[in-house]
Amino acid sequence: TAVAQAHLRHLNPFPKNLGEVLKRYERVVVPEMNLGQLATLVRARYLVDVRSHTQVNGMPFKAEQLATALKEAIDD
């Protein structure tokens, strides 16, 4: 299954074309190692339905965890 990704290097200000890019996709998943602050900011600023996948345990995401989250978003 084809998926796209974007790596945001600067959050303030957001990239100028971020809203245009996000609106091209049916589903947007934001994996975060916190309680979902970035997803909240993106939802508020661009009015895009963002699915937040969070983890707060001090360990990086495993590829399997992200693959499962993306598969669930695609199947939804």
Side-chain angles (χ1 to χ4, degrees):
T1 303
V3 297
Q5 77 165 15
H7 183 111
L8 301 177
R9 294 177 189 258
H10 303 284
L11 301 179
N12 191 13
F14 279 125
K16 291 182 181 182
N17 67 339
L18 182 59
E20 297 167 19
V21 171
L22 293 175
K23 289 180 183 183
R24 292 183 204 158
Y25 297 96
E26 293 178 30
R27 295 171 192 88
V28 177
V29 178
V30 177
E32 298 183 70
M33 295 187 61
N34 56 40
L35 296 176
Q37 289 90 336
L38 178 59
T40 301
L41 290 173
V42 170
R43 274 189 206 110
R45 174 84 184 256
Y46 300 107
L47 302 176
V48 174
D49 185 23
V50 175
R51 182 176 297 202
S52 181
H53 180 71
T54 62
Q55 173 175 299
V56 186
N57 64 5
M59 300 297 293
F61 285 110
K62 293 182 179 177
E64 181 180 322
Q65 293 171 314
L66 292 177
T68 300
L70 294 174
K71 176 124 177 71
E72 289 173 0
I74 291 168
D75 291 342
D76 222 10

